């Protein structure tokens, strides 16, 4: 019962942020333009739009820390683990439709197999949760965005062809999507990251 | 002069700036090391651009520094500090917005020029140590191009952040466009006009072989990039001067 109300509260908070709408609409718009422009060059529908989901996850987590909102949140909901998981659930509620829509736009414009679309949506949703977990630990939006984008767009792609363990890194699925195989690896990373962020959030001062 | 010293101090005191410095030094050096190793293992020498291509990725350090230098002024300090922002204090200390901006940009230029010189030295020494031939010391003539490219990119980032007052958007756009296959590079496949984007034009200052439909001369490339940066900074200054902090 409590967790239901916590999820409802977190969803309301996330939906009250203008940045949420700007990010989601911007991502879908950019995904559409890129799909139209680059459909003939075989650009993955996940590649660039995943940046939008990274930013969405970061905003969901760091908006609490900008004006000290976290104090109010913890007065209303002192059980930190429940609060943290409720925030992740609220992020899922927003990112699942956003990811589905982004991928559908890409597939409709560029053409592509439907099973891939499911895997791509799952990957985008998991990436946003992973970003939220990282941002919870960092608590500041600029370092979180710089670190995550630097990893996903510079370090990750450069490691991909050079090291053997690259297939087990969280960004492997953005490159070549094997329907649920790679999503499982990302899911593993997400569970580890959320476990870590929940522990950190539980133990340290707000 | 005192405003400039103050801005330099502010930069040095930011942890994000030191993270940007680490990125700017480590990314190109590590990448060059890996690429040179694989070139040696394959039994061939490096191509003319080894070291310089990698320095084009290292510019992400300049992007972070350029963004953070401006966005840190606008971060809310939180309830315990009265919810203020540093820009209020900065404008109290230096009330002329023109002087404050000039001091800040000069501090950014100083920091990035130093960073670019150090990073290029480390990267090119790596090339020299691992490969007998390759650009190495013979590429010294291209070093000013690298430094200028990093400085202009950082100013571009600062100019964008002046307009948005928030680091997230400029970071996203500029880091995405430093990735292995950049958006502007893909656009260049669609229209030859895309070679006049600031990154593609600027990179011509020090990378010799690029797969682009129009080959700009190094000086032309530098001028095109400078024009972009000047336009963005002018827009940033007009907005900064005109609106409430």
């Amino acid at each position: 019962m409590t967790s239901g109300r916590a999820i409802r509260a977190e969803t309301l908070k996330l939906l009250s942020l203008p940045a949420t709408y700007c990010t989601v609409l911007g991502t879908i718009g950019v995904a559409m333009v890129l799909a139209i422009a680059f459909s003939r060059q075989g650009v993955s529908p996940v590649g660039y739009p995943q940046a939008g989901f990274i930013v969405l996850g970061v905003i969901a987590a760091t908006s609490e820390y900008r004006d000290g909102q976290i104090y109010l949140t913890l007065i209303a909901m002192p059980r930190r683990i429940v609060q943290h998981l409720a925030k992740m659930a609220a992020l899922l509620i927003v990112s699942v439709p956003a990811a589905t829509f982004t991928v559908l736009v890409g597939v409709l414009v560029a053409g592509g197999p439907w099973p891939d679309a499911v895997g791509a949506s799952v990957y985008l949703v998991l990436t946003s949760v992973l970003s939220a977990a990282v941002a919870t630990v960092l608590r500041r939006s600029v370092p979180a965005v710089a670190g995550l984008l630097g990893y996903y767009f510079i370090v990750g792609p450069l490691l991909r062809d050079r090291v053997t363990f690259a297939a087990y890194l969280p960004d492997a699925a953005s490159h070549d999507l094997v329907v649920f195989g790679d999503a499982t690896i990302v899911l593993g990373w997400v569970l580890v990251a959320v476990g870590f962020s929940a522990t950190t959030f539980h133990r340290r001062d707000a | 002069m005192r405003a400039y010293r103050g801005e330099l101090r502010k930069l040095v005191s930011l942890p994000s700036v030191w993270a940007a410095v680490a990125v700017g030094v480590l990314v190109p050096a590590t990448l060059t090391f890996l690429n040179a190793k694989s070139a040696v293992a394959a039994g061939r020498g490096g191509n003319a651009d080894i070291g310089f291509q990698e320095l084009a990725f290292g510019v992400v350090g300049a992007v972070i520094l350029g963004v953070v230098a401006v966005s840190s002024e606008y971060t809310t300090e939180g309830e315990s500090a009265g919810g203020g922002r540093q820009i209020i204090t900065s404008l109290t200390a230096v009330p002329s917005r023109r002087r404050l901006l000039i001091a800040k940009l000069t501090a950014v230029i100083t920091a990035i020029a130093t960073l670019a010189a150090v990073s290029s030295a480390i990267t090119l020494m790596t090339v020299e140590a691992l490969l007998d031939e390759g650009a190495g010391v013979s590429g010294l003539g291209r070093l000013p191009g690298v430094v200028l490219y990093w400085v202009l990119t950082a100013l571009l980032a600062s100019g964008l952040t002046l307009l948005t007052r928030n680091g997230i958007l400029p970071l996203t756009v500029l880091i995405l466009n430093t990735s292995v296959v950049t958006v502007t590079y893909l656009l260049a496949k669609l229209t030859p006009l895309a070679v006049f984007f600031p990154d593609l034009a600027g990179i011509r200052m020090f990378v010799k072989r690029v797969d682009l439909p129009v080959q700009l001369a190094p000086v032309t490339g530098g001028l095109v990039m400078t024009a972009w940066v000047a336009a963005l900074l002018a827009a940033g200054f007009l907005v900064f001067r005109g609106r409430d902090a």
Side-chain angles (χ1 to χ4, degrees):
Chain A
M1 195 56 217
T2 326
S3 57
R5 280 186 297 175
I7 292 176
R8 183 160 175 276
E10 292 296 333
T11 316
L12 281 176
K13 273 198 278 182
L14 189 54
L15 288 180
S16 71
L17 291 174
T20 309
Y21 296 98
C22 294
T23 312
V24 169
L25 295 178
T27 308
I28 293 174
V30 170
M32 201 182 299
V33 172
L34 289 182
I36 292 170
F38 302 139
S39 56
R40 267 166 294 153
Q41 285 149 24
V43 173
S44 152
V46 179
Y48 292 113
Q50 68 179 336
F53 286 84
I54 292 171
V55 172
L56 180 64
V58 170
I59 287 172
T62 55
S63 62
E64 291 276 359
Y65 294 96
R66 216 180 42 198
D67 301 316
Q69 190 191 57
I70 187 71
Y71 302 126
L72 292 179
T73 304
L74 286 176
I75 290 169
M77 183 62 203
R79 284 152 62 198
R80 295 194 174 195
I81 301 279
V82 179
Q83 194 275 332
H84 188 60
L85 296 181
K87 183 169 278 304
M88 295 301 181
L91 178 59
L92 282 181
I93 290 174
V94 174
S95 64
V96 167
T100 316
F101 201 74
T102 309
V103 172
L104 275 185
V105 166
V107 170
L108 283 180
V109 173
W114 290 101
D116 280 7
V118 179
S121 314
V122 172
Y123 170 77
L124 288 179
V125 169
L126 290 177
T127 303
S128 73
V129 176
L130 187 61
S131 310
V134 173
T136 305
V137 177
L138 292 175
R139 290 195 280 197
R140 297 217 167 240
S141 52
V142 167
V145 167
L148 285 164
L149 290 180
Y151 171 71
Y152 273 88
F153 287 92
I154 296 174
V155 178
L158 291 172
L159 283 181
R160 193 171 291 138
D161 308 323
R162 291 183 174 81
V163 292
T164 42
F165 58 81
Y168 300 100
L169 292 176
D171 67 319
S174 68
H175 185 51
D176 47 352
L177 212 65
V178 184
V179 184
F180 285 114
D182 286 338
T184 331
I185 292 171
V186 188
L187 184 61
W189 281 98
V190 166
L191 291 178
V192 172
V194 172
F196 183 69
S197 65
T199 321
T200 316
F201 184 59
H202 183 60
R203 296 181 65 95
R204 91 184 151 192
D205 288 351
Chain B
M1 197 61 208
R2 278 186 299 171
Y4 166 70
R5 275 221 309 276
E7 290 298 330
L8 266 187
R9 271 205 184 163
K10 275 196 239 171
L11 279 187
V12 172
S13 68
L14 286 171
S16 303
V17 165
W18 290 105
V21 168
V23 168
V25 171
L26 290 178
V27 166
T30 317
L31 204 55
T32 309
F33 180 76
L34 291 174
N35 283 346
K37 274 274 181 217
S38 68
V40 170
R44 57 193 158 79
N47 63 47
D49 283 331
I50 191 160
F52 289 98
Q53 283 164 335
E54 289 78 2
L55 283 169
F57 286 118
V59 82
V60 70
V63 167
I64 298 175
L65 204 156
V67 169
V68 168
V70 178
S71 76
S72 67
E73 296 273 353
Y74 291 100
T75 314
T76 332
E77 306 285 351
E79 266 181 357
S80 50
R85 294 170 307 161
Q86 191 186 299
I87 187 73
I88 312 275
T89 315
S90 301
L91 284 173
T92 312
V94 185
S96 155
R97 300 199 175 195
R98 190 169 52 88
R99 263 185 55 213
L100 180 68
L101 197 60
I102 290 175
K104 185 173 278 301
L105 295 180
T106 322
V108 169
I109 293 173
T110 317
I112 293 294
T114 319
L115 173 63
V118 170
S119 182
S120 318
I122 293 175
T123 303
L124 295 181
M125 275 195 289
T126 314
V127 175
E128 199 68 8
L130 290 175
L131 297 169
D132 296 334
E133 46 183 332
V137 170
S138 63
L140 277 182
R142 291 194 264 167
L143 267 186
V146 179
V147 175
L148 194 57
Y149 180 67
W150 282 42
V151 166
L152 288 175
T153 308
L155 291 178
L156 193 77
S158 295
L160 267 179
T161 317
L162 270 179
L163 295 175
T164 62
R165 285 194 283 188
N166 177 310
I168 296 181
L169 187 67
L171 270 181
T172 312
V173 171
L174 293 172
I175 294 185
L176 245 63
N177 212 30
T178 320
S179 63
V180 176
V181 180
T182 67
V183 180
T184 42
Y185 176 77
L186 288 172
L187 277 174
K189 302 260 176 202
L190 293 180
T191 156
L193 280 179
V195 298
F196 293 104
F197 271 112
D199 59 324
L200 290 184
I203 218 159
R204 293 288 305 154
M205 288 189 284
F206 58 97
V207 173
K208 279 185 179 155
R209 278 191 292 176
V210 284
D211 174 24
L212 290 175
V214 182
Q215 305 278 340
L216 297 176
V219 175
T220 324
L223 287 176
V224 170
M225 192 177 185
T226 313
W228 277 92
V229 171
L232 253 175
L233 284 181
F237 172 65
L238 287 179
V239 171
F240 180 60
R241 197 186 54 179
R243 86 184 148 197
D244 288 350

